[in-house]
Amino acid sequence: MGAAPPKVRPESGSFRRDAPSVQFERAADLMGLDPDIRRILGSAASESIFHFPVKMDDGHVEIFTGYRVQHNNVLGPYKGGLRFHPQADLHLFRELAAWMTWKTAIADLPFGGAKGGICMDPADYSVSELERITRRFVYALGDSIGPDHDIPAPDMNTNPQVMAWIMDTYLTMVPPQQRLRSTHVVTGKPIGLGGCVGRDKATGQGVVITIENWARDRGISLKDSSYIVQGFGNVGSWAARLLHPYETRLLAVEDHTGAIHDAAGLDPLALSRWVEDHGGVAGFPGGVAIDHETFLGTQADFFIPAALGGQITEKTAPMLNVQLVVEAANGPTTFEGERILMQREISIIPDILANAGGVIVSYLEWLQSKRSEAWDLEEVEGKLRRKITAAYDRVRDAAQSYGTDWRTAAYVVALSRLESVYKERGIFP
Ligand code: NAD
């Protein structure tokens, strides 16, 4: 314990707030979703807001606001991350919770969708304050979370250390006989506490597997291809590190500190070490600095946005010089941005498919904690590959049979699964 508090990243991009509901409606229209089920899925099952006091290091008390939105649990326990961010609000968590429902449905996991967190900037607090804030939030959540009811995980600015505090606090709140049966109340735990090997790289790995599948379907060799990445944190840097063995050239990278370029290809391993030591890509000796517009206009085969929502817009989509956008970030493309990408015949692998590797390995962690097992990396990676490839195949096949784009197809896959379960179960009473 006692790890440094997670660093908050500046968030210049904003969410295109109405995008997810329009995406949902578009897919629901196309597949003729039952109107009653459309109404059910069109809103969250529950939305909680908590205001709770925490004593700071100097003795004064601050009031924090925390959220948990539980969108849907017809397929299984609510599942979704906790985000600590100054721009976090109910609206954001509503969108993110619904996205989790679609993502787990596409990946064929026995989970529903949820999301939550605290409106705060963790960089403003000491480690001990952060621990008290986290523990007090878990106390406020009470039994609205639980190992077979609602299972949080890390999201922006939360990490395995925060998950360890959550697990520890939750276990103190349940009767002693239930404690050791409840460690699967969170995923993304440190390995020593029942975390899963390979969870750290899982989202980046899922991104790379979807790119492999996409290239294989088109007879494209990754060896001769090139790409650019926005965001070199967990997801972006792991995607680049895992693409390295394919000899795919990483031509440019941008993060909150700046953008860099090398026509011969940046070394993702050296760049990851640099970012770890220096906090960002700026100043990396293996590349030259470029500006934002030059970064976006870099000619490459694919672009992996792995930073913020709302980055590919009406303004930036015309600048892109790629064939494929692989949405590693949640919600990186606005509606107008997507329309322009489509007009320009740039393909999109949507976020609810491309970044599902994280929740797939969270599911594997949950199963291991539930059964007191610890699988090796080979087993975890094999299961991740099979699950995300099956999800990829479902979305590709739906796009073909409905003659639609991949985002709409991904929603159709999710909504079809949810609809069939509702039809079998019926609506109480
Ligand atoms: P992270 O905090 O580790 O990294 C975020 C990266 O974005 C950093 O490199 C940061 O410098 C960069 N960034 C921030 N502001 C920027 C700006 N204005 N311009 C350019 N770059 C900027 O986060 P992460 O875990 O890698 O998550 C990245 C995205 O992937 C988020 O959208 C997240 O919701 C999504 N995602 C993450 C996971 C996961 O398992 N970590 C799973 C699914 C989706």
Side-chain angles (χ1 to χ4, degrees):
M1 301 258 174
K7 289 262 184 305
V8 75
R9 321 276 189 187
E11 184 145 340
S12 61
S14 66
F15 256 67
R16 171 65 205 224
R17 303 218 154 212
D18 56 352
S21 62
V22 182
Q23 289 159 359
F24 166 75
E25 299 293 343
R26 189 166 59 185
D29 286 344
L30 182 68
M31 64 175 281
L33 180 67
D34 180 292
D36 291 334
I37 294 165
R38 183 192 287 233
R39 269 190 289 278
I40 294 169
L41 295 173
S43 62
S46 82
E47 302 178 340
S48 305
I49 303 181
F50 309 92
H51 305 287
F52 53 93
V54 181
K55 200 176 268 188
M56 298 291 107
D57 289 344
D58 66 4
H60 86 280
V61 168
E62 269 188 39
I63 307 294
F64 291 86
T65 301
Y67 304 85
R68 188 70 178 167
V69 175
Q70 297 173 327
H71 176 256
N72 189 277
N73 68 349
V74 75
L75 299 179
Y78 297 110
K79 184 85 190 83
L82 290 178
R83 178 177 293 199
F84 292 176
H85 198 279
Q87 287 160 15
D89 62 14
L90 185 62
H91 202 111
L92 174 70
F93 290 130
R94 258 183 207 151
E95 289 181 347
L96 292 169
W99 271 332
M100 286 304 299
T101 302
W102 319 138
K103 207 181 288 187
T104 53
I106 292 164
D108 201 19
L109 302 177
F111 283 146
K115 209 83 174 192
I118 306 174
C119 178
M120 65 175 287
D121 184 344
D124 293 345
Y125 299 95
S126 70
V127 176
S128 60
E129 286 171 336
L130 197 62
E131 179 175 352
R132 288 196 297 280
I133 296 164
T134 303
R135 288 182 182 277
R136 191 61 182 75
F137 179 44
V138 178
Y139 186 78
L141 284 166
D143 58 10
S144 58
I145 60 167
D148 295 301
H149 174 58
D150 183 351
I151 306 132
D155 191 71
M156 280 173 96
N157 301 316
T158 56
N159 59 16
Q161 172 64 84
V162 174
M163 297 305 114
W165 292 329
I166 294 172
M167 183 186 95
D168 186 69
T169 309
Y170 181 82
L171 296 186
T172 64
M173 300 186 331
V174 298
Q177 302 83 349
Q178 287 176 26
R179 284 186 191 149
L180 295 178
R181 285 193 269 121
S182 303
T183 57
H184 51 300
V185 65
V186 280
T187 58
K189 301 183 286 290
I191 302 286
L193 296 189
C196 181
V197 288
R199 173 62 186 88
D200 51 348
K201 62 177 175 179
T203 305
Q205 197 160 18
V207 168
V208 171
I209 296 168
T210 56
I211 294 169
E212 279 174 28
N213 289 332
W214 189 88
R216 183 206 56 214
D217 281 351
R218 286 157 185 77
I220 295 169
S221 162
L222 286 180
K223 187 173 187 305
D224 303 319
S225 57
S226 58
Y227 68 109
I228 62 173
V229 176
Q230 185 189 53
F232 214 71
N234 173 283
V235 180
S237 75
W238 270 114
R241 279 180 274 177
L242 293 166
L243 279 166
H244 192 53
Y246 291 93
E247 297 177 41
T248 308
R249 270 179 313 139
L250 172 57
L251 297 182
V253 177
E254 180 184 62
D255 74 359
H256 71 289
T257 63
I260 54 169
H261 175 264
D262 185 355
L266 297 155
D267 177 350
L269 309 180
L271 183 57
S272 298
R273 287 192 293 275
W274 175 270
V275 170
E276 205 157 292
D277 293 343
H278 298 85
V281 302
F284 177 60
V288 293
I290 52 173
D291 61 28
H292 180 56
E293 283 71 24
T294 310
F295 166 78
L296 289 172
T298 305
Q299 181 162 14
D301 293 301
F302 53 96
F303 173 32
I304 306 178
L308 310 169
Q311 293 298 295
I312 303 173
T313 62
E314 201 167 25
K315 191 163 152 245
T316 58
M319 299 178 194
L320 294 182
N321 220 335
V322 294
Q323 294 175 43
L324 170 69
V325 172
V326 188
E327 294 184 337
N330 281 316
T333 310
T334 66
F335 257 135
E336 295 78 7
E338 182 167 66
R339 194 175 38 79
I340 292 166
L341 293 185
M342 283 177 175
Q343 278 166 0
R344 298 186 57 212
E345 297 184 357
I346 296 174
S347 306
I348 301 171
I349 301 181
D351 45 10
I352 49 178
L353 169 64
N355 69 29
V359 72
I360 291 172
V361 175
S362 277
Y363 166 59
L364 302 179
E365 175 180 332
W366 182 75
L367 277 183
Q368 289 168 79
S369 295
K370 214 171 149 70
R371 303 173 181 172
S372 301
E373 290 180 6
W375 302 342
D376 62 21
L377 189 59
E378 200 184 344
E379 185 164 2
V380 170
E381 290 187 340
K383 287 181 156 76
L384 166 61
R385 177 171 290 277
R386 283 193 292 280
K387 280 255 169 224
I388 201 153
T389 298
Y392 171 93
D393 290 347
R394 281 191 282 277
V395 172
R396 180 202 51 206
D397 294 350
Q400 276 165 6
S401 57
Y402 282 88
T404 190
D405 63 278
W406 279 45
R407 191 185 312 283
T408 308
Y411 272 79
V412 166
V413 169
L415 298 178
S416 303
R417 184 169 171 224
L418 290 153
E419 181 182 48
S420 70
V421 172
Y422 267 113
K423 287 203 160 152
E424 280 160 2
R425 283 177 55 155
I427 310 291
F428 175 82

